[in-house]
Amino acid sequence: QVQLVESGGGLVQAGGSLRLSCAASGSIFSINVMGWYRQAPGKQRELVAIITKSSSTNYADSVKGRFIISRDNAKNTVYLQMNSLKPEDTAVYYCNARSFTMVNYWGQGTQVTVSS
């Protein structure tokens, strides 16, 4: 089992920045990919960014050039630096960890609200 604890959400004005953190514990040796997803009210959960254990990354088109995902394997932590935030980035952001056997683990979610 893997436990994920997120932090760093909050309220920010459009154009501002936030950094989300997600600390993993438990069977961390089993984790391959970590990432962030988000879910806005009335919408499906969507991929924001993912990063592999070797630090290969992939981003949703809507956040490319604004968000940066990074990973500290020594601290078992993944970060999401969010810059130039827009009101449409408002959502609950969920940390995800995927094991080598394709088991998904989720954090509890952290609210990000961007005011116009």
Side-chain angles (χ1 to χ4, degrees):
Q1 290 291 322
V2 173
Q3 294 78 44
L4 302 172
V5 178
E6 301 129 332
S7 60
L11 173 65
V12 65
Q13 288 188 332
S17 298
L18 281 175
R19 189 173 88 148
L20 305 181
S21 300
C22 173
S25 61
S27 301
I28 55 176
F29 59 88
S30 68
I31 298 173
N32 179 21
V33 179
M34 295 190 75
W36 293 92
Y37 290 71
R38 66 187 181 187
Q39 188 167 16
K43 295 188 176 181
Q44 290 189 331
R45 191 173 297 188
E46 63 177 4
L47 169 72
V48 177
I50 57 173
I51 184 168
T52 69
K53 201 160 189 175
S54 58
S55 295
S56 295
T57 59
N58 191 31
Y59 294 90
D61 287 343
S62 59
V63 307
K64 281 180 182 176
R66 300 189 298 122
F67 290 11
I68 301 171
I69 189 169
S70 60
R71 180 170 177 171
D72 186 334
N73 288 327
K75 294 183 178 180
N76 306 310
T77 300
V78 64
Y79 305 95
L80 186 68
Q81 178 66 43
M82 304 186 292
N83 302 318
S84 302
L85 282 160
K86 304 175 181 179
E88 50 265 42
D89 294 317
T90 295
V92 178
Y93 284 69
Y94 294 92
C95 179
N96 170 267
R98 190 190 317 158
S99 74
F100 288 97
T101 55
M102 303 301 287
V103 176
N104 280 295
Y105 300 94
W106 295 94
Q108 79 283 0
T110 185
Q111 177 70 47
V112 171
T113 303
V114 184
S115 63
S116 57

